[in-house]
Amino acid sequence: MEAEIYSARSGRRVAETQSDAFHALTIKDLTVGQKMVLNAFKDGRPPLTREDIASITNLKLGSVCGRVRELIDAKRLFVVGKRQDLATQTSHQLLNTKPLSI
């Protein structure tokens, strides 16, 4: 009998095989949008916000947000902090390809 696994994001039950397939994605299996988001972190760039990634890649913010969520779920991107936007007084997550080392 398969173990019951629940999606951390949606809270819905998913099959073990579905979870395994998702986490087994290799770089060549990533979508074009996911590759573009990951490429924004090349050249030793510091942690970026979703807005920074949209600006670098010329993708729409909504598309970047979806790809970032997929990459976080697949443990390809990590939230490493927050940055305050001085103009809007809102907090934005800082993302990086490596987890924050303590």
Side-chain angles (χ1 to χ4, degrees):
M1 181 172 149
E2 289 186 17
E4 289 194 5
I5 300 172
Y6 292 87
S7 168
R9 191 168 123 211
S10 69
R12 290 192 242 172
R13 188 172 54 86
V14 296
E16 185 175 6
T17 53
Q18 181 181 9
S19 176
D20 290 345
F22 177 77
H23 291 291
L25 288 174
T26 64
I27 292 294
K28 66 181 181 180
D29 294 331
L30 295 175
T31 66
V32 172
Q34 290 170 337
K35 289 178 186 177
M36 288 177 72
V37 168
L38 287 176
N39 285 337
F41 291 91
K42 296 229 186 244
D43 303 324
R45 287 195 174 106
L48 302 170
T49 65
R50 288 167 174 82
E51 291 80 5
D52 296 335
I53 296 167
S55 176
I56 292 167
T57 61
N58 290 322
L59 292 171
K60 291 183 179 181
L61 183 58
S63 180
V64 168
C65 290
R67 301 313 62 82
V68 165
R69 171 49 50 201
E70 293 165 357
L71 292 166
I72 288 173
D73 289 346
K75 299 194 183 340
R76 302 285 180 129
L77 279 182
F78 301 90
V79 177
V80 295
K82 292 185 178 188
R83 181 172 69 196
Q84 188 78 16
D85 185 327
L86 299 176
T88 62
Q89 297 301 312
T90 57
S91 181
H92 297 268
Q93 290 179 331
L94 290 170
L95 306 161
N96 205 346
T97 56
K98 297 178 182 156
L100 187 62
S101 56
I102 298 173

